[in-house]
Amino acid sequence: MPSILITGGTVVTASEQFPADVYLRDGLIAQIGTDLHIEADIEVPADGQYVMPGGIDVHTHLGEEVFNTITADDWESGTTAAAFGGTTTVVDFARQEREGMSPLQAIERRRGQAEPGAVIDYGFHLMATNLSSPGYIEELAALPAAGVTSFKLLMAYPGTMMVDDLTIYQAMQVAADTGALVTLHAENGHVIQSLTERFGDAGTVEEHMHMHAHPHLVEGEAVHRGIALAEMAGAGVYIVHLSSHTALTEVEAAKARGQAVWAETCPQYLFAAYEDYEDAGFEAAKYICSPPIRERANQDHLWRGLETGALSVFATDHCTFRMHDDLPDLPPQKPMGRGDFRRIPNGVPGIENRLHLLYDGGVVAGRFDMCRFVDLVSTMPAKLFGLYPRKGGIGVGADADIVVWDPNAVHTIEAATHHMRVDYNLYEGLEVRGRPTTVISRGEIIVSGDEFHGSPGRGQYLERTTPWVMSHAEAGSA
């Protein structure tokens, strides 16, 4: 593996920024200092640019069979797109089938699916759907020692993926005992089901009505309930894809009490709005995800959460389905629900544009600085999901996952030039400032400008430790 010397840049971590050269050898960060005079096989000039840890997206769905179809982005296309956007690690999901599959079997199956295609490093949250079969709770308790230190449970999708409160509480007790972290899809699934049935009876199931079946309160109530269950179990809890100011209020109140609660939000909730698709007909299918993309006025609350720390992570929930059924290797996609939101696969793209959007909307817009940006897209995800300090920072001995970021490069987001396999971009035509010029994964340059140097299967599976924040007393402030 060639050694690399990055020269002339400004190193940025979650806590500081300073001018320095960075020397990479054998896949690790070997030395950091000013004016390093080291013979390296490759020199990467970074004058006028930031040198930051590679992005970590802890909420993706790649090559996943869901909603009676399969996602358009598989492990190769999804992780390639991630790399072009400055993300060098993803944590995806290993979904346990409700019947006949144990937690450990779910992890083993998912590893087999990811290994041939992954360009960047990856890990899994266990998505648990059944913990009542004999031996399953014991397997759950053994997973953290085997490197799976987070469990996802869903309070939505009754009959398929939803679990009851007792299952959530039991999983949280296991997490409290083992140091793992439970992540929750927090929406009241029974209320959503009832509202959806009512709209069906009334014949009002046009695409945009999806949002009305998922009102703010079904998210706020579920977040409140999930936090209460965590408190009773003595466990931390992480709320995925938080979309509503009502839910954010619950997180803020819990954090103010000192409870170990964290939450993420996603690009679609900050850069798209219900007003964009309310009168769009089938085009509204591009925007359908759960929780839904809400009213534009809701965005200010989420930006405030990112600024204050009430929201700890910026992930994507990248889950893509094409607007046209034109690829022979894919089953029906969004068109299967034309005119009926109940049959539209839920999910939107974001893995390639996550850093572009947050840098432009957060740093360029003056909402927060580069350190906060790095914390949201890399460091705090690493700390919460057992990857820090190996990943998520710039430190000697850490994996050489590095992005050289040009703060002044301007480009327009377009489906015609993105690397995702989905045939649209939710942010089409948006001009943003800031983009990677060089992306390095474990000491290998995998993206240089518009050139791709990675290869399918080079990504490594990550056995994760228990959350760094659990042992460093950051729960109430992180």
Side-chain angles (χ1 to χ4, degrees), residues 295-318:
E295 307 89 344
R296 185 161 283 109
N298 186 69
Q299 295 173 350
D300 286 342
H301 299 276
L302 301 183
W303 278 115
R304 175 176 53 80
L306 292 173
E307 293 168 24
T308 64
L311 293 170
S312 302
V313 171
F314 192 65
T316 61
D317 192 13
H318 180 85

Side-chain angles (χ1 to χ4, degrees), residues 103-385:
L104 184 58
Q105 287 172 329
I107 298 294
E108 291 174 343
R109 179 182 69 165
R110 198 67 169 134
R111 284 190 66 173
Q113 293 170 343
E115 187 174 343
V119 169
I120 59 177
D121 293 353
Y122 59 95
F124 302 115
H125 315 279
L126 173 75
M127 185 186 295
T129 61
N130 173 14
L131 298 178
S132 62
S133 294
Y136 283 11
I137 282 287
E138 289 77 11
E139 274 200 19
L140 189 72
L143 284 179
V148 179
T149 56
S150 49
F151 319 137
K152 181 181 181 181
L153 298 109
L154 289 90
M155 305 169 84
Y157 306 115
T160 55
M161 294 182 283
M162 179 176 167
V163 297
D164 60 19
D165 287 356
L166 176 59
T167 301
I168 295 171
Y169 178 67
Q170 290 173 327
M172 287 176 167
Q173 287 182 309
V174 170
D177 290 340
T178 61
L181 182 62
V182 167
T183 79
L184 286 181
H185 177 143
E187 292 184 286
N188 189 312
H190 290 306
V191 172
I192 293 168
Q193 183 180 53
S194 178
L195 289 170
T196 300
E197 290 171 354
R198 183 181 301 178
F199 292 142
D201 292 342
T204 54
V205 292
E206 299 87 354
E207 290 86 351
H208 73 277
M209 291 299 294
H210 173 267
M211 193 202 75
H212 298 280
H214 297 248
H216 289 266
L217 280 174
V218 303
E219 187 177 5
E221 182 278 332
V223 168
H224 177 88
R225 181 159 38 101
I227 289 172
L229 289 167
E231 186 172 11
M232 287 186 277
V237 64
Y238 178 94
I239 308 299
V240 300
H241 51 42
L242 188 144
S243 73
S244 169
H245 66 277
T246 305
L248 179 61
T249 298
E250 298 290 345
V251 171
E252 290 173 326
K255 290 176 81 69
R257 297 192 301 269
Q259 196 170 340
V261 178
W262 300 272
E264 71 181 27
T265 195
C266 307
Q268 58 268 29
Y269 304 124
L270 295 173
F271 296 92
Y274 176 66
E275 291 86 346
D276 297 331
Y277 65 94
E278 181 179 11
D279 300 313
F282 177 61
E283 288 292 299
K286 294 177 179 178
Y287 297 82
I288 300 302
C289 59
S290 294
I293 295 171
R294 303 190 184 278
E295 307 89 344
R296 185 161 283 109
N298 186 69
Q299 295 173 350
D300 286 342
H301 299 276
L302 301 183
W303 278 115
R304 175 176 53 80
L306 292 173
E307 293 168 24
T308 64
L311 293 170
S312 302
V313 171
F314 192 65
T316 61
D317 192 13
H318 180 85
C319 186
T320 56
F321 304 97
R322 293 172 66 88
M323 287 293 286
H324 300 89
D325 291 335
D326 54 354
L327 294 184
D329 64 323
L330 287 177
Q333 302 274 289
K334 295 277 191 180
M336 76 169 78
R338 187 182 294 272
D340 186 344
F341 76 82
R342 298 171 297 181
R343 298 190 295 120
I344 295 173
N346 284 206
V348 298
I351 201 168
E352 185 166 353
N353 301 122
R354 179 176 68 115
L355 273 64
H356 302 142
L357 292 164
L358 190 67
Y359 179 81
D360 189 78
V363 179
V364 175
R367 289 185 168 101
F368 43 75
D369 64 11
M370 273 298 294
C371 292
R372 179 64 179 151
F373 171 71
V374 167
D375 199 34
L376 287 165
V377 301
S378 183
T379 306
M380 187 52 70
K383 288 181 176 180
L384 280 165
F385 293 104

